[in-house]
């Protein structure tokens, strides 16, 4: 929730309830101690005990699966539960891009009493994304590998979204004079500010020369990363 706009919390809860999801916790797994993480195991126990378990009724060892879209923080949640309940370090590899978890791993213990294990899983997406804009939002949030869409395309959509929502913090961050809808201009300013340049050969009428130009790909990557880290403000992509 460190990257979420919590002013929209009621709206989020209402949408989830409409979809049939009623047991919701907002967690921040980057914190060493998060109060809502402590509530997770008791909540899960209550859900299990009020559900039919049939032939597993006497079994007090619980094994659950963690599922979600890519890069949403499933492995971070498991590590946070281990840190909170067992005082142990991380057991599941994490990273700032989708596809870090490649396969369903072995059971990872996250609680002693009750004895509870979690299975980390690769991220899943619907087989068909309903629209181009939905796909762009997913790409912007890092659920699809950047190079599959194109850093420049994602950066262009990000700039469009920021301007549409009136979020102009990028202007001051990258020393622009005013908001702009020209992604090439914005990326050039980012490249200049951060020293992201590259040397290329240019063919002229008098021979080849080497020139220094802005590295637009590196600038786009930095722009996107700044958004994902919350450095451009909280943005609600509804």
């Amino acid at each position: 929730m460190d990257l979420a706009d919590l002013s929209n919390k009621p709206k989020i809860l209402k949408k989830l309830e409409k979809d049939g999801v009623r047991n919701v916790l907002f967690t921040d797994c980057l914190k060493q101690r998060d109060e809502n993480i402590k509530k997770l195991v008791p909540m899960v126990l209550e859900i299990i005990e009020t559900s039919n378990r049939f032939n597993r009724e006497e079994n007090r060892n619980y094994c659950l699966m963690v599922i979600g879209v890519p890069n949403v923080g499933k492995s971070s949640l498991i590590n946070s539960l281990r840190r909170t309940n067992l005082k142990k370090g991380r057991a599941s590899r994490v990273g700032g891009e989708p596809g870090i978890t490649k396969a369903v791993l072995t059971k990872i213990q996250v609680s002693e009493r009750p004895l509870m294990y979690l299975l980390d899983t690769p991220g899943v997406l619907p087989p068909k994304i309903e629209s181009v804009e939905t796909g762009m939002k997913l790409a912007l949030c890092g659920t699809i590998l950047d190079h599959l869409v194109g850093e420049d395309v994602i950066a262009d959509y990000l700039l469009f979204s920021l301007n549409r929502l009136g979020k102009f913090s990028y202007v001051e961050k990258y020393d622009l004079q005013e908001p702009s809808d020209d992604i090439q201009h914005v990326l050039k300013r980012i490249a200049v500010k951060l020293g992201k340049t590259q040397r290329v050969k240019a063919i002229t009428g008098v021979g080849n020369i080497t020139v220094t130009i802005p590295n637009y790909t590196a600038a786009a990557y930095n722009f996107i990363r700044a958004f994902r880290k919350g450095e451009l403000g909280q943005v609600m992509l509804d």
Side-chain angles (χ1 to χ4, degrees), residues 4-226:
D5 183 356
L6 294 183
S7 66
N8 287 287
K9 190 173 178 179
K11 183 179 177 182
I12 295 169
L13 289 170
K14 188 175 181 180
K15 173 67 169 65
L16 289 172
E17 186 173 1
K18 184 180 178 182
D19 293 341
V21 181
R22 293 179 177 82
N23 299 289
V24 180
L25 285 175
F26 288 79
T27 63
D28 184 353
C29 296
L30 296 181
K31 286 184 179 177
Q32 285 299 309
R33 296 175 65 85
D34 180 58
E35 291 302 315
N36 281 348
I37 287 289
K38 294 179 182 178
K39 299 176 185 177
L40 188 53
V41 170
M43 177 185 278
V44 169
L45 271 181
E46 183 180 350
I47 294 170
I48 291 174
E49 289 172 356
T50 55
S51 305
N52 291 323
R53 303 198 73 218
F54 303 106
N55 62 314
R56 296 171 296 167
E57 189 67 39
E58 301 302 319
N59 190 347
R60 293 302 170 191
N61 294 350
Y62 304 105
C63 184
L64 299 96
M65 185 177 287
V66 182
I67 62 172
V69 298
N71 203 30
V72 78
K74 298 179 292 297
S75 300
S76 296
L77 175 64
I78 290 176
N79 292 334
S80 185
L81 282 166
R82 278 176 60 82
R83 187 170 61 244
T84 300
N85 298 320
L86 300 176
K87 308 295 188 259
K88 293 185 181 294
R90 72 184 191 183
S92 203
R93 189 167 161 241
V94 298
E97 61 182 42
I100 295 296
T101 304
K102 302 290 186 185
V104 177
L105 303 177
T106 55
K107 295 192 299 185
I108 301 171
Q109 185 179 351
V110 295
S111 176
E112 185 69 43
R113 295 181 182 178
L115 187 56
M116 185 176 292
Y117 299 90
L118 292 185
L119 291 173
D120 199 0
T121 65
V124 291
L125 284 172
K128 185 177 180 181
I129 296 173
E130 59 189 42
S131 68
V132 172
E133 185 166 14
T134 298
M136 290 306 303
K137 289 176 181 177
L138 289 170
L140 187 52
C141 292
T143 61
I144 302 171
L145 287 169
D146 292 346
H147 72 269
L148 296 179
V149 180
E151 287 87 350
D152 56 335
V153 176
I154 299 173
D156 196 9
Y157 181 73
L158 171 56
L159 181 64
F160 163 76
S161 299
L162 292 173
N163 289 336
R164 179 174 61 87
L165 296 169
K167 303 285 187 176
F168 302 124
S169 59
Y170 71 90
V171 175
E172 181 179 354
K173 180 176 177 62
Y174 297 116
D175 296 337
L176 275 72
Q177 292 183 343
E178 59 185 2
S180 172
D181 61 1
D182 183 347
I183 187 60
Q184 292 298 317
H185 170 68
V186 173
L187 292 182
K188 184 176 181 180
R189 293 301 309 162
I190 294 173
V192 170
K193 179 176 174 62
L194 301 178
K196 301 293 185 182
T197 59
Q198 57 186 346
R199 294 171 66 82
V200 298
K201 283 187 177 180
I203 301 175
T204 70
V206 294
N208 297 346
I209 60 172
T210 301
V211 297
T212 301
I213 63 171
N215 188 330
Y216 290 101
T217 301
Y221 176 78
N222 182 276
F223 190 35
I224 297 164
R225 289 284 291 176

